[in-house]
PDB file of all heavy atoms in Angstrom:
ATOM      1  N   ARG A 225       7.948  10.182   7.018  1.00  0.00           N
ATOM      2  CA  ARG A 225       8.759  10.468   8.201  1.00  0.00           C
ATOM      3  C   ARG A 225       9.346  11.881   8.159  1.00  0.00           C
ATOM      4  O   ARG A 225       9.436  12.554   9.187  1.00  0.00           O
ATOM      5  CB  ARG A 225       9.890   9.434   8.288  1.00  0.00           C
ATOM      6  CG  ARG A 225      10.697   9.610   9.533  1.00  0.00           C
ATOM      7  CD  ARG A 225      11.849   8.634   9.601  1.00  0.00           C
ATOM      8  NE  ARG A 225      12.501   8.760  10.880  1.00  0.00           N
ATOM      9  CZ  ARG A 225      13.255   7.836  11.411  1.00  0.00           C
ATOM     10  NH1 ARG A 225      13.443   6.700  10.785  1.00  0.00           N
ATOM     11  NH2 ARG A 225      13.829   8.027  12.575  1.00  0.00           N
ATOM     12  N   GLU A 226       9.722  12.306   6.945  1.00  0.00           N
ATOM     13  CA  GLU A 226      10.324  13.638   6.816  1.00  0.00           C
ATOM     14  C   GLU A 226       9.342  14.704   7.314  1.00  0.00           C
ATOM     15  O   GLU A 226       9.737  15.710   7.902  1.00  0.00           O
ATOM     16  CB  GLU A 226      10.697  13.898   5.347  1.00  0.00           C
ATOM     17  CG  GLU A 226      11.544  15.143   5.193  1.00  0.00           C
ATOM     18  CD  GLU A 226      11.787  15.556   3.746  1.00  0.00           C
ATOM     19  OE1 GLU A 226      11.657  14.714   2.831  1.00  0.00           O
ATOM     20  OE2 GLU A 226      12.103  16.723   3.526  1.00  0.00           O
ATOM     21  N   HIS A 227       8.056  14.472   7.089  1.00  0.00           N
ATOM     22  CA  HIS A 227       7.053  15.466   7.495  1.00  0.00           C
ATOM     23  C   HIS A 227       6.560  15.251   8.917  1.00  0.00           C
ATOM     24  O   HIS A 227       6.309  16.197   9.645  1.00  0.00           O
ATOM     25  CB  HIS A 227       5.870  15.448   6.521  1.00  0.00           C
ATOM     26  CG  HIS A 227       6.262  15.997   5.190  1.00  0.00           C
ATOM     27  ND1 HIS A 227       6.048  17.306   4.845  1.00  0.00           N
ATOM     28  CD2 HIS A 227       6.916  15.430   4.157  1.00  0.00           C
ATOM     29  CE1 HIS A 227       6.544  17.506   3.633  1.00  0.00           C
ATOM     30  NE2 HIS A 227       7.076  16.379   3.192  1.00  0.00           N
ATOM     31  N   LYS A 228       6.430  13.994   9.296  1.00  0.00           N
ATOM     32  CA  LYS A 228       5.881  13.684  10.620  1.00  0.00           C
ATOM     33  C   LYS A 228       6.953  13.864  11.707  1.00  0.00           C
ATOM     34  O   LYS A 228       6.630  14.035  12.863  1.00  0.00           O
ATOM     35  CB  LYS A 228       5.358  12.234  10.595  1.00  0.00           C
ATOM     36  CG  LYS A 228       4.618  11.772  11.798  1.00  0.00           C
ATOM     37  CD  LYS A 228       3.274  12.429  11.971  1.00  0.00           C
ATOM     38  CE  LYS A 228       2.645  11.999  13.284  1.00  0.00           C
ATOM     39  NZ  LYS A 228       1.574  12.863  13.713  1.00  0.00           N
ATOM     40  N   LYS A 229       8.215  13.824  11.279  1.00  0.00           N
ATOM     41  CA  LYS A 229       9.365  13.972  12.192  1.00  0.00           C
ATOM     42  C   LYS A 229       9.445  12.842  13.218  1.00  0.00           C
ATOM     43  O   LYS A 229       9.991  13.015  14.301  1.00  0.00           O
ATOM     44  CB  LYS A 229       9.350  15.320  12.953  1.00  0.00           C
ATOM     45  CG  LYS A 229       9.085  16.531  12.094  1.00  0.00           C
ATOM     46  CD  LYS A 229      10.362  17.076  11.509  1.00  0.00           C
ATOM     47  CE  LYS A 229      10.142  18.347  10.727  1.00  0.00           C
ATOM     48  NZ  LYS A 229      10.507  18.292   9.326  1.00  0.00           N
ATOM     49  N   GLU A 230       8.827  11.722  12.891  1.00  0.00           N
ATOM     50  CA  GLU A 230       8.999  10.541  13.755  1.00  0.00           C
ATOM     51  C   GLU A 230       8.768   9.288  12.931  1.00  0.00           C
ATOM     52  O   GLU A 230       8.164   9.360  11.846  1.00  0.00           O
ATOM     53  CB  GLU A 230       8.035  10.577  14.946  1.00  0.00           C
ATOM     54  CG  GLU A 230       6.591  10.528  14.560  1.00  0.00           C
ATOM     55  CD  GLU A 230       5.646  10.773  15.744  1.00  0.00           C
ATOM     56  OE1 GLU A 230       5.897  11.709  16.522  1.00  0.00           O
ATOM     57  OE2 GLU A 230       4.666  10.032  15.860  1.00  0.00           O
ATOM     58  N   LYS A 231       9.271   8.178  13.445  1.00  0.00           N
ATOM     59  CA  LYS A 231       9.133   6.922  12.726  1.00  0.00           C
ATOM     60  C   LYS A 231       7.669   6.477  12.725  1.00  0.00           C
ATOM     61  O   LYS A 231       6.974   6.637  13.733  1.00  0.00           O
ATOM     62  CB  LYS A 231      10.001   5.862  13.409  1.00  0.00           C
ATOM     63  CG  LYS A 231      10.218   4.661  12.566  1.00  0.00           C
ATOM     64  CD  LYS A 231      11.283   3.754  13.117  1.00  0.00           C
ATOM     65  CE  LYS A 231      11.298   2.509  12.262  1.00  0.00           C
ATOM     66  NZ  LYS A 231      11.818   1.359  12.928  1.00  0.00           N
ATOM     67  N   ILE A 232       7.232   5.962  11.579  1.00  0.00           N
ATOM     68  CA  ILE A 232       5.826   5.571  11.447  1.00  0.00           C
ATOM     69  C   ILE A 232       5.696   4.054  11.467  1.00  0.00           C
ATOM     70  O   ILE A 232       6.521   3.350  10.882  1.00  0.00           O
ATOM     71  CB  ILE A 232       5.253   6.183  10.148  1.00  0.00           C
ATOM     72  CG1 ILE A 232       5.056   7.692  10.394  1.00  0.00           C
ATOM     73  CG2 ILE A 232       3.939   5.561   9.740  1.00  0.00           C
ATOM     74  CD1 ILE A 232       5.277   8.542   9.227  1.00  0.00           C
ATOM     75  N   ASN A 233       4.675   3.571  12.153  1.00  0.00           N
ATOM     76  CA  ASN A 233       4.437   2.130  12.229  1.00  0.00           C
ATOM     77  C   ASN A 233       3.868   1.654  10.884  1.00  0.00           C
ATOM     78  O   ASN A 233       2.711   1.927  10.543  1.00  0.00           O
ATOM     79  CB  ASN A 233       3.454   1.872  13.379  1.00  0.00           C
ATOM     80  CG  ASN A 233       3.205   0.402  13.581  1.00  0.00           C
ATOM     81  OD1 ASN A 233       3.097  -0.372  12.632  1.00  0.00           O
ATOM     82  ND2 ASN A 233       3.119   0.012  14.833  1.00  0.00           N
ATOM     83  N   ARG A 234       4.701   0.949  10.121  1.00  0.00           N
ATOM     84  CA  ARG A 234       4.302   0.570   8.761  1.00  0.00           C
ATOM     85  C   ARG A 234       3.146  -0.434   8.772  1.00  0.00           C
ATOM     86  O   ARG A 234       2.311  -0.435   7.877  1.00  0.00           O
ATOM     87  CB  ARG A 234       5.490   0.001   7.984  1.00  0.00           C
ATOM     88  CG  ARG A 234       6.544   1.044   7.620  1.00  0.00           C
ATOM     89  CD  ARG A 234       7.648   0.426   6.764  1.00  0.00           C
ATOM     90  NE  ARG A 234       8.233  -0.736   7.400  1.00  0.00           N
ATOM     91  CZ  ARG A 234       8.652  -1.820   6.746  1.00  0.00           C
ATOM     92  NH1 ARG A 234       8.578  -1.870   5.445  1.00  0.00           N
ATOM     93  NH2 ARG A 234       9.160  -2.841   7.397  1.00  0.00           N
ATOM     94  N   VAL A 235       3.111  -1.317   9.794  1.00  0.00           N
ATOM     95  CA  VAL A 235       2.033  -2.321   9.832  1.00  0.00           C
ATOM     96  C   VAL A 235       0.681  -1.617   9.999  1.00  0.00           C
ATOM     97  O   VAL A 235      -0.259  -1.879   9.244  1.00  0.00           O
ATOM     98  CB  VAL A 235       2.264  -3.345  10.976  1.00  0.00           C
ATOM     99  CG1 VAL A 235       1.049  -4.253  11.135  1.00  0.00           C
ATOM    100  CG2 VAL A 235       3.509  -4.180  10.699  1.00  0.00           C
ATOM    101  N   SER A 236       0.608  -0.688  10.963  1.00  0.00           N
ATOM    102  CA  SER A 236      -0.681   0.003  11.192  1.00  0.00           C
ATOM    103  C   SER A 236      -1.107   0.780   9.952  1.00  0.00           C
ATOM    104  O   SER A 236      -2.283   0.799   9.584  1.00  0.00           O
ATOM    105  CB  SER A 236      -0.581   1.000  12.346  1.00  0.00           C
ATOM    106  OG  SER A 236      -0.056   0.381  13.459  1.00  0.00           O
ATOM    107  N   LEU A 237      -0.133   1.426   9.311  1.00  0.00           N
ATOM    108  CA  LEU A 237      -0.463   2.216   8.123  1.00  0.00           C
ATOM    109  C   LEU A 237      -0.958   1.308   6.994  1.00  0.00           C
ATOM    110  O   LEU A 237      -1.983   1.583   6.360  1.00  0.00           O
ATOM    111  CB  LEU A 237       0.766   3.025   7.676  1.00  0.00           C
ATOM    112  CG  LEU A 237       0.589   3.868   6.423  1.00  0.00           C
ATOM    113  CD1 LEU A 237      -0.536   4.888   6.578  1.00  0.00           C
ATOM    114  CD2 LEU A 237       1.892   4.605   6.073  1.00  0.00           C
ATOM    115  N   LEU A 238      -0.244   0.209   6.771  1.00  0.00           N
ATOM    116  CA  LEU A 238      -0.652  -0.716   5.714  1.00  0.00           C
ATOM    117  C   LEU A 238      -2.047  -1.277   5.997  1.00  0.00           C
ATOM    118  O   LEU A 238      -2.885  -1.375   5.095  1.00  0.00           O
ATOM    119  CB  LEU A 238       0.380  -1.852   5.596  1.00  0.00           C
ATOM    120  CG  LEU A 238       0.020  -2.984   4.642  1.00  0.00           C
ATOM    121  CD1 LEU A 238      -0.160  -2.486   3.216  1.00  0.00           C
ATOM    122  CD2 LEU A 238       1.092  -4.065   4.669  1.00  0.00           C
ATOM    123  N   GLN A 239      -2.301  -1.632   7.237  1.00  0.00           N
ATOM    124  CA  GLN A 239      -3.632  -2.178   7.571  1.00  0.00           C
ATOM    125  C   GLN A 239      -4.725  -1.149   7.249  1.00  0.00           C
ATOM    126  O   GLN A 239      -5.755  -1.497   6.687  1.00  0.00           O
ATOM    127  CB  GLN A 239      -3.693  -2.527   9.060  1.00  0.00           C
ATOM    128  CG  GLN A 239      -2.896  -3.776   9.397  1.00  0.00           C
ATOM    129  CD  GLN A 239      -3.013  -4.131  10.870  1.00  0.00           C
ATOM    130  OE1 GLN A 239      -2.987  -3.255  11.721  1.00  0.00           O
ATOM    131  NE2 GLN A 239      -3.129  -5.405  11.161  1.00  0.00           N
ATOM    132  N   GLU A 240      -4.460   0.096   7.564  1.00  0.00           N
ATOM    133  CA  GLU A 240      -5.475   1.128   7.310  1.00  0.00           C
ATOM    134  C   GLU A 240      -5.663   1.330   5.801  1.00  0.00           C
ATOM    135  O   GLU A 240      -6.782   1.547   5.329  1.00  0.00           O
ATOM    136  CB  GLU A 240      -5.082   2.434   8.007  1.00  0.00           C
ATOM    137  CG  GLU A 240      -6.224   3.401   8.239  1.00  0.00           C
ATOM    138  CD  GLU A 240      -7.480   2.768   8.843  1.00  0.00           C
ATOM    139  OE1 GLU A 240      -7.364   1.976   9.787  1.00  0.00           O
ATOM    140  OE2 GLU A 240      -8.583   3.068   8.334  1.00  0.00           O
ATOM    141  N   ILE A 241      -4.556   1.242   5.047  1.00  0.00           N
ATOM    142  CA  ILE A 241      -4.657   1.365   3.577  1.00  0.00           C
ATOM    143  C   ILE A 241      -5.570   0.249   3.046  1.00  0.00           C
ATOM    144  O   ILE A 241      -6.470   0.486   2.243  1.00  0.00           O
ATOM    145  CB  ILE A 241      -3.255   1.272   2.920  1.00  0.00           C
ATOM    146  CG1 ILE A 241      -2.433   2.526   3.250  1.00  0.00           C
ATOM    147  CG2 ILE A 241      -3.365   1.070   1.407  1.00  0.00           C
ATOM    148  CD1 ILE A 241      -0.959   2.430   2.870  1.00  0.00           C
ATOM    149  N   LEU A 242      -5.347  -0.976   3.526  1.00  0.00           N
ATOM    150  CA  LEU A 242      -6.135  -2.117   3.035  1.00  0.00           C
ATOM    151  C   LEU A 242      -7.615  -1.954   3.415  1.00  0.00           C
ATOM    152  O   LEU A 242      -8.501  -2.216   2.607  1.00  0.00           O
ATOM    153  CB  LEU A 242      -5.578  -3.433   3.591  1.00  0.00           C
ATOM    154  CG  LEU A 242      -4.125  -3.749   3.198  1.00  0.00           C
ATOM    155  CD1 LEU A 242      -3.639  -5.015   3.890  1.00  0.00           C
ATOM    156  CD2 LEU A 242      -3.974  -3.909   1.680  1.00  0.00           C
ATOM    157  N   ARG A 243      -7.858  -1.470   4.637  1.00  0.00           N
ATOM    158  CA  ARG A 243      -9.260  -1.266   5.064  1.00  0.00           C
ATOM    159  C   ARG A 243      -9.932  -0.209   4.194  1.00  0.00           C
ATOM    160  O   ARG A 243     -11.068  -0.369   3.757  1.00  0.00           O
ATOM    161  CB  ARG A 243      -9.310  -0.805   6.526  1.00  0.00           C
ATOM    162  CG  ARG A 243      -8.960  -1.902   7.496  1.00  0.00           C
ATOM    163  CD  ARG A 243      -9.191  -1.429   8.934  1.00  0.00           C
ATOM    164  NE  ARG A 243      -8.465  -2.284   9.836  1.00  0.00           N
ATOM    165  CZ  ARG A 243      -7.397  -1.899  10.560  1.00  0.00           C
ATOM    166  NH1 ARG A 243      -6.969  -0.655  10.506  1.00  0.00           N
ATOM    167  NH2 ARG A 243      -6.787  -2.758  11.344  1.00  0.00           N
ATOM    168  N   LYS A 244      -9.195   0.877   3.919  1.00  0.00           N
ATOM    169  CA  LYS A 244      -9.799   1.957   3.123  1.00  0.00           C
ATOM    170  C   LYS A 244     -10.065   1.479   1.700  1.00  0.00           C
ATOM    171  O   LYS A 244     -11.089   1.822   1.109  1.00  0.00           O
ATOM    172  CB  LYS A 244      -8.868   3.176   3.074  1.00  0.00           C
ATOM    173  CG  LYS A 244      -8.696   3.861   4.413  1.00  0.00           C
ATOM    174  CD  LYS A 244      -9.940   4.645   4.805  1.00  0.00           C
ATOM    175  CE  LYS A 244      -9.686   5.492   6.014  1.00  0.00           C
ATOM    176  NZ  LYS A 244     -10.495   5.193   7.171  1.00  0.00           N
ATOM    177  N   ILE A 245      -9.125   0.701   1.133  1.00  0.00           N
ATOM    178  CA  ILE A 245      -9.351   0.204  -0.240  1.00  0.00           C
ATOM    179  C   ILE A 245     -10.621  -0.645  -0.250  1.00  0.00           C
ATOM    180  O   ILE A 245     -11.478  -0.495  -1.119  1.00  0.00           O
ATOM    181  CB  ILE A 245      -8.133  -0.595  -0.772  1.00  0.00           C
ATOM    182  CG1 ILE A 245      -6.934   0.338  -0.975  1.00  0.00           C
ATOM    183  CG2 ILE A 245      -8.474  -1.310  -2.079  1.00  0.00           C
ATOM    184  CD1 ILE A 245      -5.653  -0.342  -1.468  1.00  0.00           C
ATOM    185  N   GLU A 246     -10.768  -1.516   0.740  1.00  0.00           N
ATOM    186  CA  GLU A 246     -11.958  -2.380   0.757  1.00  0.00           C
ATOM    187  C   GLU A 246     -13.242  -1.554   0.908  1.00  0.00           C
ATOM    188  O   GLU A 246     -14.208  -1.760   0.180  1.00  0.00           O
ATOM    189  CB  GLU A 246     -11.861  -3.409   1.879  1.00  0.00           C
ATOM    190  CG  GLU A 246     -13.100  -4.281   1.909  1.00  0.00           C
ATOM    191  CD  GLU A 246     -12.964  -5.492   2.801  1.00  0.00           C
ATOM    192  OE1 GLU A 246     -12.236  -6.419   2.432  1.00  0.00           O
ATOM    193  OE2 GLU A 246     -13.605  -5.514   3.875  1.00  0.00           O
ATOM    194  N   THR A 247     -13.226  -0.616   1.841  1.00  0.00           N
ATOM    195  CA  THR A 247     -14.422   0.206   2.055  1.00  0.00           C
ATOM    196  C   THR A 247     -14.786   0.929   0.763  1.00  0.00           C
ATOM    197  O   THR A 247     -15.951   0.961   0.351  1.00  0.00           O
ATOM    198  CB  THR A 247     -14.149   1.254   3.162  1.00  0.00           C
ATOM    199  OG1 THR A 247     -13.707   0.557   4.314  1.00  0.00           O
ATOM    200  CG2 THR A 247     -15.370   2.075   3.497  1.00  0.00           C
ATOM    201  N   ASN A 248     -13.788   1.497   0.083  1.00  0.00           N
ATOM    202  CA  ASN A 248     -14.079   2.247  -1.144  1.00  0.00           C
ATOM    203  C   ASN A 248     -14.525   1.333  -2.282  1.00  0.00           C
ATOM    204  O   ASN A 248     -15.352   1.720  -3.098  1.00  0.00           O
ATOM    205  CB  ASN A 248     -12.869   3.094  -1.543  1.00  0.00           C
ATOM    206  CG  ASN A 248     -12.764   4.344  -0.682  1.00  0.00           C
ATOM    207  OD1 ASN A 248     -13.770   4.979  -0.374  1.00  0.00           O
ATOM    208  ND2 ASN A 248     -11.556   4.701  -0.273  1.00  0.00           N
ATOM    209  N   LEU A 249     -13.991   0.103  -2.327  1.00  0.00           N
ATOM    210  CA  LEU A 249     -14.437  -0.839  -3.363  1.00  0.00           C
ATOM    211  C   LEU A 249     -15.904  -1.218  -3.141  1.00  0.00           C
ATOM    212  O   LEU A 249     -16.686  -1.290  -4.100  1.00  0.00           O
ATOM    213  CB  LEU A 249     -13.575  -2.108  -3.335  1.00  0.00           C
ATOM    214  CG  LEU A 249     -12.211  -2.018  -4.009  1.00  0.00           C
ATOM    215  CD1 LEU A 249     -11.373  -3.246  -3.687  1.00  0.00           C
ATOM    216  CD2 LEU A 249     -12.350  -1.878  -5.530  1.00  0.00           C
TER     217      LEU A 249
END
Side-chain angles (χ1 to χ4, degrees):
R225 184 182 186 159
E226 190 188 339
H227 290 264
K228 187 69 185 163
K229 313 272 184 241
E230 63 189 45
K231 195 168 174 204
I232 286 146
N233 183 321
R234 290 184 306 144
V235 172
S236 308
L237 178 59
L238 173 60
Q239 287 182 319
E240 200 47 45
I241 290 169
L242 299 175
R243 288 187 199 112
K244 293 287 189 241
I245 292 179
E246 179 168 288
T247 305
N248 283 320
L249 280 170

